[in-house]
Amino acid sequence: MKILIILVTIVALSAVIGSVIVGEKVFDGLVVEKPYEKGLQWDKTRNEKTELGWNVVLKNRAFSAGENDVIISVFDKDGRPLAGAQAIITISRPATTAYDKNYETTLLGVGSYKVKANFPLYGYWDLKVTVSHDKKSAVYEEKVYVKT
């Protein structure tokens, strides 16, 4: 019995050590290129978005695999619908770029936009709304769950 426990322990430790060695050789530790510059750009974008004061509200949250209506409303810093803006919706899967797609929205009314988007798979999706108005733009991100 002691020999079996020793053998199992040796095999388990070998597997762990092997995984660590392979991981060290394969992963170079780089998550993004130029992380400092990316961080500065992220801060700048966040500050510009805060100054604009726009707010994007996703009107529907129940999505299923296939074609879905995605309806958004865009408000200015005073809470009024933002007139004259353009919105582009991008959907993507968190783990791959294979399903990334941009959609031009159609105007429903002042500050309200709609698009028919295709979610080919169930699961979590990233939904990005790019709003442009008077040569200024901001990106708003939302995570949605698509049912089967």
Side-chain angles (χ1 to χ4, degrees), residues 5-67:
I5 292 173
I6 291 172
L7 285 175
V8 169
T9 304
I10 290 172
V11 169
L13 285 174
S14 299
V16 170
I17 291 170
S19 297
V20 169
I21 291 170
V22 169
E24 280 290 317
K25 290 184 185 261
V26 173
F27 181 60
D28 63 359
L30 185 64
V31 177
V32 294
E33 292 288 331
K34 300 182 180 179
Y36 179 73
E37 289 81 4
K38 283 275 196 191
L40 290 176
Q41 182 62 40
W42 186 84
D43 283 342
K44 180 182 174 205
T45 303
R46 186 184 66 180
N47 291 337
E48 288 172 353
K49 195 164 115 176
T50 302
E51 284 178 23
L52 290 172
W54 298 343
N55 188 22
V56 174
V57 176
L58 182 62
K59 292 294 188 177
N60 56 335
R61 294 194 150 275
F63 300 108
S64 57
E67 291 262 321

Side-chain angles (χ1 to χ4, degrees), residues 119-134:
F119 296 98
L121 301 170
Y122 74 93
Y124 285 101
W125 287 80
D126 292 327
L127 199 136
K128 291 182 185 177
V129 180
T130 305
V131 179
S132 301
H133 183 265
D134 288 339

Side-chain angles (χ1 to χ4, degrees), residues 49-89:
K49 195 164 115 176
T50 302
E51 284 178 23
L52 290 172
W54 298 343
N55 188 22
V56 174
V57 176
L58 182 62
K59 292 294 188 177
N60 56 335
R61 294 194 150 275
F63 300 108
S64 57
E67 291 262 321
N68 291 269
D69 286 335
V70 178
I71 302 168
I72 61 165
S73 291
V74 182
F75 301 98
D76 65 10
K77 66 170 65 174
D78 298 322
R80 294 184 306 250
L82 186 62
Q86 291 83 33
I88 296 173
I89 294 178

